[in-house]
Amino acid sequence: MAALKEASENEMRGVLGFTTDQVVSADFIGDTRSSIVDAGAGIGLNSTFMKFVSWYDNESGYVTRMNDLVSFCALQDSRV
């Protein structure tokens, strides 16, 4: 979990989220991140196997990533 939390605060900021709050799906309506890891909902089955629960708003997260892709493509096109 520590690696996911660190990534959400650094290189994946804005794409990956991390929460320790007690949440339900309605808490993520309009959230533009692609995935928000729910630290309280994951379970360790043994020392090498962990199940994670992650929340997302399918529409907002998807549209935001598509905007990122269009911006990236436009930048690449301007380099040609």
Side-chain angles (χ1 to χ4, degrees):
M1 286 286 189
L4 291 170
K5 183 175 189 315
E6 183 178 335
S8 74
E9 295 169 347
N10 295 295
E11 67 272 9
M12 296 296 293
R13 183 181 202 99
V15 175
L16 178 66
F18 189 90
T19 186
T20 56
D21 298 338
Q22 294 290 318
V23 293
V24 295
S25 60
D27 294 324
F28 301 98
I29 295 172
D31 196 309
T32 59
R33 296 171 290 180
S34 293
S35 179
I36 301 91
V37 177
D38 186 343
I43 57 170
L45 299 178
N46 60 45
S47 63
T48 60
F49 192 83
M50 181 82 164
K51 287 187 177 182
F52 297 99
V53 172
S54 186
W55 299 89
Y56 60 93
D57 180 322
N58 193 42
E59 292 146 355
S60 295
Y62 179 78
V63 167
T64 301
R65 295 293 78 76
M66 291 305 299
N67 284 336
D68 291 346
L69 178 60
V70 168
S71 296
F72 175 78
C73 290
L75 180 63
Q76 298 306 307
D77 191 45
S78 69
R79 293 181 181 175
V80 173

